[in-house]
Amino acid sequence: MTSRAIVALGETLEYFDNAGTDQTPRGLVCLLRSLYERLNRQSKFLAWPQAGYNFTIRSLVVYLKELFRYLGADAEVSAVFSAYSGPQDLVSFPRVERDNVAMFSIFGHELGHPIADAFLQMEATSAAHQARGLRARQDIIQALGGSPTMPELQAAIQAVFQLRRRALEELISDTVGVYLFGPSALFAGYQILMWNTLDVIPSRQNEGYPPGRMRIRVSLEVARAEGHIDALRNLTTDQVVGPTFSNAGVLLDHLEQLASDNSDELTINTSPIARIAYDWISTTLPSAQQFARTELATARYEDSTLKLEVPRLVERLKHGLPPNEIGDSLSPVAVDERSAVLAGWLVSLEASQAGTNPDQAINELSRLNEKALKGLEYVVLQRRYRSGTRTSPS
């Protein structure tokens, strides 16, 4: 056990080493710190790049506690961690995306997982949940022919409950991502899901993930309910940056077309186990989303903020300026850092559809990300400066 602990700690030191290099942009750290503060979470974390393509936030403390669980008396281990004041979370991101500001909104989804866990924990004690669970068991018995063996029944019940929980974890987290980042989360989620099979049947083989088409549909519905879709479409008439928003409208048309196709639901219905799980999910998701919305409170990204800030930030980016403020130079107005992320998305969408040669497009996107990263850093530093709080390196 001691040898395994040493090996695991060696891997942990690698995280710290990677986090201490230039591979982690300061703009990303500033954005994450701001999100943590908005959510009233412990703001100490360790951000580091990884070779695999995955965005994750996991508890470093829980990992270390498990590591030391059998290496001493419980009281001694508890005493060590009661005095621990270091980073609480490990935040990892794909190394290839370290400068891609548009994809930073994926962290809204990752920050949604604790909220999803809180909802599922609260729900488990409710009478309505218990009653719905009994109904699901009855549906399972009927699907298995009415008189299954006990092992068959137990395996089917476990599969239904696991599929339901896994799907709710992801769909609630997708919802939180849109609440926190608005359209940026919708666009980033699609960029990841577009490479996967959109209508796969959820199963243990694919780790129980809900179909990509369903996730796009849920995110789109949340963005529409929050007023973000109408805001984007209405800004196509802006005299200065209307064409940029028109390019976003093309993507929105495509996403709405994908969401209107119910082939994911038809595919799920071919599996009795998945169908029972997702029938239950459809009755639970609205209350789960309302729970998440209430939990986030003022941390949500408002459509009014989008309409006020994003057009002028797009204008700044297109003039080669960081998207960190609006107004004139004599009386600049601070902005929400998530507006800077969305402005980066909109300008990059326009650049990708401009028909320029690949080398020129890559150079333009590189310059765009450089300005957007500076914008994220400036937004947070300006806010701290104005509020009189002290900034410290992270």
Short mmCIF file of all heavy atoms in Angstrom, two decimals, residues 266-293:
data_model
loop_
_atom_site.label_atom_id
_atom_site.label_comp_id
_atom_site.label_asym_id
_atom_site.label_seq_id
_atom_site.Cartn_x
_atom_site.Cartn_y
_atom_site.Cartn_z
N LEU A 266 -36.49 7.40 -31.07
CA LEU A 266 -36.90 6.15 -31.71
C LEU A 266 -35.88 5.04 -31.45
O LEU A 266 -36.26 3.89 -31.23
CB LEU A 266 -37.06 6.37 -33.22
CG LEU A 266 -38.15 7.37 -33.64
CD1 LEU A 266 -38.14 7.56 -35.15
CD2 LEU A 266 -39.52 6.89 -33.17
N THR A 267 -34.61 5.40 -31.44
CA THR A 267 -33.56 4.42 -31.18
C THR A 267 -33.65 3.92 -29.74
O THR A 267 -33.52 2.71 -29.48
CB THR A 267 -32.17 5.04 -31.44
OG1 THR A 267 -32.11 5.50 -32.79
CG2 THR A 267 -31.07 4.02 -31.20
N ILE A 268 -33.88 4.82 -28.80
CA ILE A 268 -34.00 4.42 -27.39
C ILE A 268 -35.18 3.47 -27.20
O ILE A 268 -35.10 2.51 -26.42
CB ILE A 268 -34.15 5.68 -26.50
CG1 ILE A 268 -32.81 6.39 -26.37
CG2 ILE A 268 -34.70 5.32 -25.12
CD1 ILE A 268 -32.88 7.71 -25.65
N ASN A 269 -36.25 3.71 -27.92
CA ASN A 269 -37.45 2.87 -27.77
C ASN A 269 -37.24 1.43 -28.25
O ASN A 269 -38.07 0.56 -27.96
CB ASN A 269 -38.63 3.49 -28.51
CG ASN A 269 -39.17 4.72 -27.78
OD1 ASN A 269 -38.99 4.87 -26.58
ND2 ASN A 269 -39.83 5.60 -28.52
N THR A 270 -36.16 1.17 -28.98
CA THR A 270 -35.87 -0.20 -29.40
C THR A 270 -35.28 -1.03 -28.27
O THR A 270 -35.17 -2.25 -28.40
CB THR A 270 -34.90 -0.21 -30.60
OG1 THR A 270 -33.63 0.35 -30.20
CG2 THR A 270 -35.47 0.60 -31.76
N SER A 271 -34.89 -0.38 -27.18
CA SER A 271 -34.34 -1.07 -26.02
C SER A 271 -35.29 -0.90 -24.84
O SER A 271 -35.44 0.21 -24.34
CB SER A 271 -32.96 -0.51 -25.65
OG SER A 271 -32.56 -0.93 -24.36
N PRO A 272 -35.95 -1.98 -24.38
CA PRO A 272 -36.90 -1.85 -23.26
C PRO A 272 -36.28 -1.22 -22.02
O PRO A 272 -36.92 -0.39 -21.34
CB PRO A 272 -37.34 -3.29 -23.00
CG PRO A 272 -37.12 -4.00 -24.30
CD PRO A 272 -35.90 -3.36 -24.90
N ILE A 273 -35.04 -1.59 -21.72
CA ILE A 273 -34.38 -1.06 -20.53
C ILE A 273 -34.14 0.44 -20.67
O ILE A 273 -34.45 1.23 -19.77
CB ILE A 273 -33.03 -1.79 -20.29
CG1 ILE A 273 -33.28 -3.27 -19.97
CG2 ILE A 273 -32.26 -1.12 -19.15
CD1 ILE A 273 -34.13 -3.52 -18.76
N ALA A 274 -33.60 0.85 -21.82
CA ALA A 274 -33.35 2.28 -22.04
C ALA A 274 -34.65 3.06 -22.09
O ALA A 274 -34.74 4.18 -21.56
CB ALA A 274 -32.56 2.47 -23.34
N ARG A 275 -35.68 2.48 -22.69
CA ARG A 275 -36.96 3.18 -22.78
C ARG A 275 -37.54 3.47 -21.41
O ARG A 275 -38.03 4.58 -21.14
CB ARG A 275 -37.96 2.35 -23.60
CG ARG A 275 -39.36 2.96 -23.67
CD ARG A 275 -40.30 2.10 -24.49
NE ARG A 275 -40.35 0.73 -24.01
CZ ARG A 275 -41.03 0.33 -22.93
NH1 ARG A 275 -41.71 1.21 -22.21
NH2 ARG A 275 -41.03 -0.94 -22.57
N ILE A 276 -37.50 2.48 -20.51
CA ILE A 276 -38.03 2.68 -19.16
C ILE A 276 -37.24 3.76 -18.43
O ILE A 276 -37.81 4.65 -17.77
CB ILE A 276 -37.99 1.35 -18.37
CG1 ILE A 276 -38.97 0.34 -18.99
CG2 ILE A 276 -38.32 1.58 -16.90
CD1 ILE A 276 -38.81 -1.07 -18.45
N ALA A 277 -35.91 3.72 -18.57
CA ALA A 277 -35.07 4.73 -17.91
C ALA A 277 -35.38 6.13 -18.43
O ALA A 277 -35.52 7.08 -17.65
CB ALA A 277 -33.60 4.39 -18.12
N TYR A 278 -35.53 6.27 -19.75
CA TYR A 278 -35.72 7.60 -20.33
C TYR A 278 -37.15 8.10 -20.20
O TYR A 278 -37.37 9.32 -20.18
CB TYR A 278 -35.23 7.61 -21.78
CG TYR A 278 -33.74 7.82 -21.84
CD1 TYR A 278 -32.86 6.79 -21.53
CD2 TYR A 278 -33.21 9.07 -22.14
CE1 TYR A 278 -31.49 6.99 -21.54
CE2 TYR A 278 -31.84 9.28 -22.16
CZ TYR A 278 -30.98 8.24 -21.86
OH TYR A 278 -29.62 8.46 -21.86
N ASP A 279 -38.13 7.21 -20.07
CA ASP A 279 -39.48 7.66 -19.73
C ASP A 279 -39.47 8.33 -18.36
O ASP A 279 -40.13 9.34 -18.13
CB ASP A 279 -40.44 6.47 -19.73
CG ASP A 279 -40.84 6.05 -21.13
OD1 ASP A 279 -40.59 6.82 -22.07
OD2 ASP A 279 -41.42 4.95 -21.28
N TRP A 280 -38.71 7.75 -17.46
CA TRP A 280 -38.58 8.30 -16.10
C TRP A 280 -37.82 9.62 -16.14
O TRP A 280 -38.18 10.59 -15.46
CB TRP A 280 -37.88 7.27 -15.22
CG TRP A 280 -37.88 7.56 -13.75
CD1 TRP A 280 -38.40 8.65 -13.12
CD2 TRP A 280 -37.33 6.73 -12.73
NE1 TRP A 280 -38.20 8.56 -11.76
CE2 TRP A 280 -37.55 7.39 -11.50
CE3 TRP A 280 -36.68 5.50 -12.74
CZ2 TRP A 280 -37.12 6.84 -10.28
CZ3 TRP A 280 -36.25 4.96 -11.54
CH2 TRP A 280 -36.48 5.63 -10.31
N ILE A 281 -36.78 9.68 -16.95
CA ILE A 281 -35.99 10.91 -17.06
C ILE A 281 -36.84 12.07 -17.55
O ILE A 281 -36.73 13.20 -17.05
CB ILE A 281 -34.80 10.68 -18.03
CG1 ILE A 281 -33.77 9.76 -17.39
CG2 ILE A 281 -34.15 12.00 -18.42
CD1 ILE A 281 -32.74 9.23 -18.36
N SER A 282 -37.72 11.82 -18.51
CA SER A 282 -38.54 12.90 -19.08
C SER A 282 -39.44 13.55 -18.03
O SER A 282 -39.78 14.73 -18.14
CB SER A 282 -39.39 12.35 -20.23
OG SER A 282 -40.34 11.42 -19.76
N THR A 283 -39.83 12.78 -17.00
CA THR A 283 -40.68 13.35 -15.94
C THR A 283 -39.86 14.05 -14.86
O THR A 283 -40.40 14.83 -14.09
CB THR A 283 -41.54 12.25 -15.29
OG1 THR A 283 -40.69 11.31 -14.64
CG2 THR A 283 -42.38 11.53 -16.33
N THR A 284 -38.56 13.76 -14.82
CA THR A 284 -37.69 14.31 -13.78
C THR A 284 -36.93 15.54 -14.22
O THR A 284 -36.71 16.46 -13.42
CB THR A 284 -36.67 13.24 -13.32
OG1 THR A 284 -37.35 12.05 -12.94
CG2 THR A 284 -35.83 13.74 -12.15
N LEU A 285 -36.53 15.60 -15.49
CA LEU A 285 -35.62 16.65 -15.94
C LEU A 285 -36.13 18.07 -15.70
O LEU A 285 -35.35 18.93 -15.28
CB LEU A 285 -35.29 16.44 -17.42
CG LEU A 285 -34.22 17.35 -18.00
CD1 LEU A 285 -32.91 17.22 -17.24
CD2 LEU A 285 -34.01 17.04 -19.48
N PRO A 286 -37.42 18.38 -15.94
CA PRO A 286 -37.86 19.76 -15.68
C PRO A 286 -37.63 20.22 -14.25
O PRO A 286 -37.17 21.36 -14.02
CB PRO A 286 -39.35 19.72 -16.02
CG PRO A 286 -39.48 18.61 -17.02
CD PRO A 286 -38.49 17.58 -16.57
N SER A 287 -37.91 19.36 -13.27
CA SER A 287 -37.69 19.76 -11.88
C SER A 287 -36.20 19.85 -11.57
O SER A 287 -35.77 20.70 -10.78
CB SER A 287 -38.37 18.77 -10.93
OG SER A 287 -37.88 17.46 -11.11
N ALA A 288 -35.40 18.99 -12.20
CA ALA A 288 -33.95 19.04 -12.01
C ALA A 288 -33.39 20.35 -12.56
O ALA A 288 -32.52 20.98 -11.95
CB ALA A 288 -33.29 17.85 -12.68
N GLN A 289 -33.89 20.77 -13.70
CA GLN A 289 -33.42 22.03 -14.30
C GLN A 289 -33.83 23.23 -13.45
O GLN A 289 -33.06 24.19 -13.31
CB GLN A 289 -33.97 22.15 -15.72
CG GLN A 289 -33.35 21.15 -16.69
CD GLN A 289 -34.00 21.19 -18.05
OE1 GLN A 289 -35.21 21.35 -18.18
NE2 GLN A 289 -33.20 21.04 -19.10
N GLN A 290 -35.03 23.18 -12.89
CA GLN A 290 -35.46 24.27 -12.02
C GLN A 290 -34.61 24.33 -10.76
O GLN A 290 -34.25 25.40 -10.27
CB GLN A 290 -36.94 24.10 -11.65
CG GLN A 290 -37.49 25.24 -10.81
CD GLN A 290 -37.33 26.59 -11.47
OE1 GLN A 290 -37.69 26.79 -12.63
NE2 GLN A 290 -36.78 27.56 -10.74
N PHE A 291 -34.24 23.14 -10.25
CA PHE A 291 -33.35 23.07 -9.09
C PHE A 291 -32.02 23.73 -9.42
O PHE A 291 -31.49 24.54 -8.64
CB PHE A 291 -33.14 21.61 -8.70
CG PHE A 291 -32.14 21.40 -7.59
CD1 PHE A 291 -32.54 21.43 -6.27
CD2 PHE A 291 -30.80 21.15 -7.88
CE1 PHE A 291 -31.62 21.23 -5.24
CE2 PHE A 291 -29.88 20.95 -6.86
CZ PHE A 291 -30.29 20.99 -5.54
N ALA A 292 -31.46 23.40 -10.59
CA ALA A 292 -30.18 23.97 -10.99
C ALA A 292 -30.28 25.48 -11.16
O ALA A 292 -29.38 26.22 -10.75
CB ALA A 292 -29.71 23.32 -12.29
N ARG A 293 -31.35 25.93 -11.75
CA ARG A 293 -31.54 27.37 -11.97
C ARG A 293 -31.59 28.13 -10.64
O ARG A 293 -31.01 29.21 -10.50
CB ARG A 293 -32.83 27.62 -12.76
CG ARG A 293 -32.93 28.98 -13.43
CD ARG A 293 -34.18 29.06 -14.30
NE ARG A 293 -34.14 30.22 -15.17
CZ ARG A 293 -34.51 31.44 -14.82
NH1 ARG A 293 -34.94 31.66 -13.59
NH2 ARG A 293 -34.44 32.44 -15.68
#
